[in-house]
Amino acid sequence: MDEMKSVTLEDLGAARKQFVEERANVIAKNAVTAQGIREVARVPEAVAANTGTFDVEVRQGKRCDQKRSGRCWMFASLNTMRTRIIDRYDLKTFELSQAYPLFFDKVEKSNWFLENVLDTLDEPLSGRLMAHLLADPISDGGQWDMFRALVRKYGVVPKEAMPETACSSNTRDMDAYLTRYLRGAAKRLRESHEAGVGTDDLRAMKKEIMGEVTSLLITCLGEPPVQFDVRLRDKDDELVLSGTYTPQEFFDKVVSMPVDDYVSVISAPTADKPFGHTYTVDRLGNVAEAGGVRYLNLPVERLKELAVAQLQDGLPVWFGCDVIQSFIRDEGIMDTASLDVDGLFGFPVEGCLDRAERLDYGESLMTHAMVLEGVNLDAAGKPTLWKVENSWGDKRAKDGFDSITDAWFNQYVYQVVVDKRFLSDSERKTYETEEPTVLAPWDPMGSLAR
């Protein structure tokens, strides 16, 4: 046996001997085994530096709670929209229904999945593409472009018009059964194709499948309203809005947000994605007629400049990040200095990869979407600390809002959504006219915020 290929008892013995000879190692072991890594690695001085006061703030309403669902991208998108209603009608707070877009997202993702199945009928079932398509066909997660496609088609409604259900607040079982049904539908379509069934009959089968998908979703989420009555009172209890609307009318007349003007800007410093160019992700989307996603890739410093400009204009900023990294959840602090994991273990753990390497080696990607609603600036106008509206309720952190240091932004923020008027002329032209490079379906920039 080649001992160089194996872990030997002598290797383990030497490592254990070296460990116990260091007093700091023994103390770290005793603390971590009792309290856990993050609790012991917490740096109180860094935590104390996270203030609750900000130079620039956008007025938001009461904190929302996505509960046991992966709808952060919907909550973040709706929270950027409700600001307009709160300001326009001088409301204390306001909330748009998150169950309403959930219903139609599941419908559209089911259709998107089935269209991909019909498009890959001759692909080997054991291949990477089919494995990817079958892995998570109707995930709760999403991207800004996917939400924009939903509101263009279906509009939005107040929360009272389609309140939460047990299945929207905890999507696990609904997702599991719908996923199982869709995988079974994929099997039926592929086997029918192999048996010689023609395109028209396969599409008729798909239409029947979509009818059953809709039935399952109505059972779990209720029927989405076709129209509804609205009564809004301002902070002085004056009636400021009264009427009957369709969801599309409510979006156009009351929200009145030009969603087509908002673009996704990413920062992926990997060799395969040069800055200053546009990208899309193969087979990523939900609404078939809207197409997929489109990104403009820029340095992270430019993302910060765009976010600050939009905040200073009085508008919040949708952003996507890798939320769990260097995060003290209970206190709502995202700060690379708040946890000294490398000091705890005595060698580079968090520091073993840089931003680009984390993307290349599968260590980091966008996992969560939130809203930037404030920022502190230094004497030169550069950001130092960001205020964040999360969607985890108001019982944690600082009444439900988190903070992000600028150093954390540099490492773990991957995407912002801004009005394209804040882009430079050349950036805007590139976004609007350049043919985007198509990334593989499993590229990290195709991850979905949950």
Side-chain angles (χ1 to χ4, degrees):
M1 180 180 69
D2 186 349
E3 291 189 357
M4 295 298 292
K5 294 182 179 180
S6 303
V7 177
T8 67
L9 295 177
E10 289 78 9
D11 292 336
L12 291 173
R16 292 171 66 180
K17 183 175 184 295
Q18 183 179 4
F19 182 91
V20 299
E21 286 175 351
E22 285 286 339
R23 175 175 174 270
N25 289 341
V26 176
I27 294 172
K29 176 200 67 174
N30 294 343
V32 170
T33 53
Q35 299 296 326
I37 294 172
R38 287 177 187 258
E39 288 73 12
V40 177
R42 180 180 181 276
V43 179
E45 293 82 4
V47 172
N50 281 265
T51 180
T53 306
F54 292 84
D55 299 329
V56 180
E57 285 192 72
V58 176
R59 186 164 67 114
Q60 296 286 79
K62 184 180 178 182
R63 305 300 173 188
C64 304
D65 192 349
Q66 67 185 81
K67 298 184 179 177
R68 298 173 66 94
S69 73
R71 295 175 291 165
C72 68
W73 61 293
M74 292 182 177
F75 276 73
S77 300
L78 292 169
N79 287 343
T80 64
M81 294 176 180
R82 70 172 178 157
T83 302
R84 297 168 179 267
I85 302 173
I86 291 171
D87 286 346
R88 186 174 298 123
Y89 297 102
D90 198 26
L91 308 179
K92 290 180 181 178
T93 190
F94 183 78
E95 199 166 341
L96 291 159
S97 170
Q98 302 92 2
Y100 180 80
L102 176 67
F103 180 96
F104 290 110
D105 183 55
K106 297 299 183 187
V107 169
E108 294 288 354
K109 279 179 179 166
S110 297
N111 181 68
W112 185 276
F113 169 73
L114 294 171
E115 284 298 311
N116 275 315
V117 170
L118 292 173
D119 191 50
T120 56
L121 290 170
D122 295 317
E123 287 282 332
L125 192 60
S126 59
R128 186 173 186 181
L129 177 57
M130 288 309 301
H132 175 81
L133 294 176
L134 291 167
D136 195 8
I138 45 90
S139 161
D140 281 358
Q143 285 271 359
W144 163 257
D145 287 352
M146 296 162 70
F147 190 83
R148 177 173 58 195
L150 290 174
V151 298
R152 273 189 194 147
K153 186 170 183 177
Y154 298 107
V156 296
V157 305
K159 189 152 191 171
E160 312 87 72
M162 190 169 180
E164 293 288 287
T165 71
C167 292
S168 65
S169 295
N170 185 346
T171 55
R172 184 184 63 181
D173 284 348
M174 177 183 72
D175 285 353
Y177 287 118
L178 179 54
T179 297
R180 182 167 180 162
Y181 175 77
L182 287 171
R183 287 172 178 154
K187 173 181 177 292
R188 287 162 51 198
L189 289 169
R190 287 175 64 90
E191 288 181 347
S192 297
H193 170 68
E194 291 170 4
V197 174
T199 300
D200 290 346
D201 288 334
L202 289 174
R203 293 219 158 267
M205 286 177 62
K206 186 203 126 176
K207 187 172 183 178
E208 178 184 339
I209 290 164
M210 284 302 302
E212 292 175 344
V213 166
T214 304
S215 176
L216 185 154
L217 290 170
I218 292 174
T219 301
C220 294
L221 300 173
E223 291 191 62
V226 176
Q227 66 176 27
F228 50 89
D229 294 331
V230 176
R231 304 287 186 275
L232 293 182
R233 291 185 176 273
D234 66 13
K235 290 189 292 187
D236 298 321
D237 204 33
E238 295 291 330
L239 187 66
V240 290
L241 182 67
S242 175
T244 301
Y245 298 87
T246 68
Q248 294 84 352
E249 288 171 342
F250 190 79
F251 178 72
D252 291 339
K253 297 178 181 179
V254 179
V255 176
S256 191
M257 178 177 177
V259 289
D260 288 338
D261 290 343
Y262 284 78
V263 300
S264 288
V265 184
I266 62 169
S267 188
T270 50
D272 63 329
K273 302 179 187 71
F275 289 136
H277 295 282
T278 59
Y279 299 88
T280 187
V281 181
D282 189 27
R283 301 185 185 276
L284 178 63
N286 54 356
V287 179
E289 63 269 29
V293 300
R294 187 183 187 92
Y295 307 133
L296 175 63
N297 192 25
L298 298 174
V300 70
E301 287 297 327
R302 184 61 179 141
L303 267 63
K304 291 189 283 187
E305 291 171 356
L306 294 168
V308 169
Q310 187 157 300
L311 286 168
Q312 289 176 328
D313 197 50
L315 294 170
V317 179
W318 190 108
F319 78 103
C321 65
D322 190 358
V323 71
I324 200 64
Q325 305 277 6
S326 298
F327 182 32
I328 302 180
R329 181 184 175 114
D330 288 344
E331 292 170 278
I333 294 169
M334 286 162 261
D335 180 1
T336 55
S338 66
L339 297 174
D340 186 11
V341 174
D342 293 357
L344 174 64
F345 288 114
F347 51 86
V349 176
E350 286 198 324
C352 67
L353 298 168
D354 65 23
R355 180 183 173 99
E357 291 163 348
R358 287 193 296 270
L359 290 170
D360 282 337
Y361 283 86
E363 168 55 26
S364 185
L365 46 81
M366 186 187 72
T367 59
H368 191 54
M370 298 179 283
V371 175
L372 296 171
E373 64 173 13
V375 64
N376 280 343
L377 304 171
D378 65 15
K382 298 292 185 181
T384 59
L385 190 70
W386 304 80
K387 183 180 180 183
V388 173
E389 179 180 22
N390 207 336
S391 51
W392 294 343
D394 60 2
K395 305 303 182 191
R396 48 164 293 283
K398 305 175 184 73
D399 295 324
F401 85 80
D402 298 325
S403 61
I404 288 178
T405 62
D406 197 57
W408 195 95
F409 195 116
N410 287 339
Q411 295 300 321
Y412 299 115
V413 171
Y414 293 113
Q415 181 179 5
V416 298
V417 174
V418 295
D419 192 318
K420 61 186 178 183
R421 63 191 168 91
F422 295 112
L423 299 175
S424 69
D425 291 343
S426 61
E427 289 167 346
R428 194 179 310 112
K429 182 178 180 181
T430 298
Y431 179 85
E432 293 176 342
T433 64
E434 184 179 83
E435 186 68 25
T437 298
V438 180
L439 303 175
W442 39 85
D443 190 274
M445 289 298 106
S447 65
L448 299 180
R450 301 165 191 252

